[in-house]
């Protein structure tokens, strides 16, 4: 699996440009090409998954990109590390296990910053649980798609974004919880590029058992699974 750190620390990437690149890499992997791990920081944008309700969206005049992943609406932008693994899953394909692996990689990385991340039953992503009646807060969102056995979309880790951007929407359709960032949780001014270096090895370790080419190095054979297409936000 090759890594593409797309101008991290140097340029914000337009979401539509990255989405087209994902589709191009996905087609290549379906055809037998090498898996790719894309790490990127986006220009500000709202993206809406297939389950987005009308009341989740921001007000009139705000650009929203409707995408083919699972889940509802979220925000991407400066200070957020977005990761798109484009990889062939081994048969039998277990999409829930794939989502759990993404979550665990974030939980592992958070521990290196002294943050205890958790799962919340029935909700995807990584959370910091509230104490004494405080709301749970999401630090990483996950929304994926698996088509023809190959993954698309992925996770978004809030490193140091302006969290007020989430105030214009109902993030992920959840109105009884909040959002947070690694910087807010640690009190340290972390950078996206530095966090990418911490998260990437955990992603590789957690995803390796699920991949069709578990060496996560240059491709070793090109086996093909039966076609399958489904958006997931498990």
């Amino acid at each position: 699996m090759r890594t593409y750190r797309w101008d991290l620390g140097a340029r914000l990437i337009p979401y539509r440009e990255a989405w087209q690149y994902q589709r191009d890499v996905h087609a290549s992997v379906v055809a037998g090409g090498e898996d790719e791990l894309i790490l990127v920081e986006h220009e500000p944008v709202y993206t809406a998954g297939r389950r987005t309700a009308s009341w989740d969206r921001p007000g009139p005049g705000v650009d929203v990109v409707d995408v083919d992943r699972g889940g509802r609406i979220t925000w991407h932008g400066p200070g957020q590390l977005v990761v798109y693994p484009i990889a062939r899953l081994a048969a039998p394909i277990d999409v829930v296990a794939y989502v759990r692996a993404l979550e665990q990689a974030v939980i592992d990385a958070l521990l290196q910053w002294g943050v205890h991340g958790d799962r919340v039953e029935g909700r995807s992503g990584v959370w910091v649980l509230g104490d004494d009646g405080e709301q749970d807060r999401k630090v990483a969102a996950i929304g994926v798609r698996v088509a023809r056995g190959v993954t698309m979309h992925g996770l978004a880790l809030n490193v140091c974004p302006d969290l007020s951007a989430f105030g214009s929407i109902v993030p992920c359709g959840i109105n009884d919880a909040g959002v947070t960032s690694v910087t807010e949780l640690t009190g340290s001014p972390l950078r996206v590029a530095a966090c990418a270096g911490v998260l990437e090895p955990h992603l590789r370790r957690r995803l390796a058992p699920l991949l069709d080419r578990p060496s996560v190095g240059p491709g070793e054979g090109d086996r093909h699974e039966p076609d399958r297409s489904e958006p997931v936000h498990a």
Side-chain angles (χ1 to χ4, degrees):
M1 177 187 282
R2 63 176 177 255
T3 297
Y4 182 23
R5 296 192 183 190
W6 195 342
D7 294 343
L8 280 180
R11 182 169 74 99
L12 301 176
I13 307 301
Y15 182 84
R16 288 178 176 86
E17 180 181 348
W19 190 18
Q20 183 58 56
Y21 182 75
Q22 277 195 76
R23 289 185 289 234
D24 292 344
V25 175
H26 182 273
S28 172
V29 175
V30 166
E34 186 178 357
D35 297 343
E36 185 163 323
L37 187 64
I38 305 164
L39 299 99
V40 64
E41 187 176 5
H42 283 305
E43 293 180 349
V45 66
Y46 294 102
T47 70
R50 291 183 172 180
R51 295 194 300 113
T52 300
S54 59
W55 53 84
D56 296 336
R57 294 173 179 264
V62 178
D63 185 32
V64 177
V65 181
D66 289 281
V67 296
D68 57 351
R69 61 166 170 78
R72 295 167 79 167
I73 197 164
T74 193
W75 173 87
H76 298 310
Q80 185 185 74
L81 174 62
V82 181
V83 183
Y84 302 123
I86 314 296
R88 179 174 293 282
L89 297 179
I93 292 171
D94 187 339
V95 182
V96 173
Y98 171 65
V99 172
R100 297 290 93 83
L102 294 176
E103 291 170 343
Q104 191 60 52
V106 174
I107 291 169
D108 294 343
L110 289 174
L111 284 174
Q112 293 192 228
W113 297 302
V115 174
H116 182 76
D118 268 300
R119 295 184 177 91
V120 173
E121 186 174 355
R123 294 177 171 178
S124 70
V126 178
W127 300 77
V128 175
L129 303 184
D131 295 323
D132 299 324
E134 293 182 348
Q135 286 187 330
D136 298 336
R137 293 171 293 165
K138 181 179 277 192
V139 67
I142 293 176
V144 306
R145 174 179 171 83
V146 178
R148 301 186 66 185
V150 177
T151 63
M152 287 185 68
H153 302 287
L155 70 88
L157 174 64
N158 295 330
V159 176
C160 55
D162 179 355
L163 296 174
S164 67
F166 291 98
S168 300
I169 59 172
V170 182
C172 302
I174 298 171
N175 57 16
D176 62 348
V179 292
T180 188
S181 68
V182 181
T183 289
E184 183 176 74
L185 293 165
T186 62
S188 301
L190 301 171
R191 294 183 178 273
V192 169
C195 288
V198 173
L199 179 59
E200 182 186 345
H202 293 296
L203 282 166
R204 287 180 171 274
R205 180 167 58 90
R206 292 297 180 180
L207 293 179
L210 304 178
L211 301 184
D212 189 50
R213 290 168 282 199
S215 68
V216 297
E220 295 182 355
D222 295 310
R223 299 191 304 276
H224 295 275
E225 306 299 340
D227 286 356
R228 171 175 174 164
S229 179
E230 58 178 306
V232 177
H233 196 260

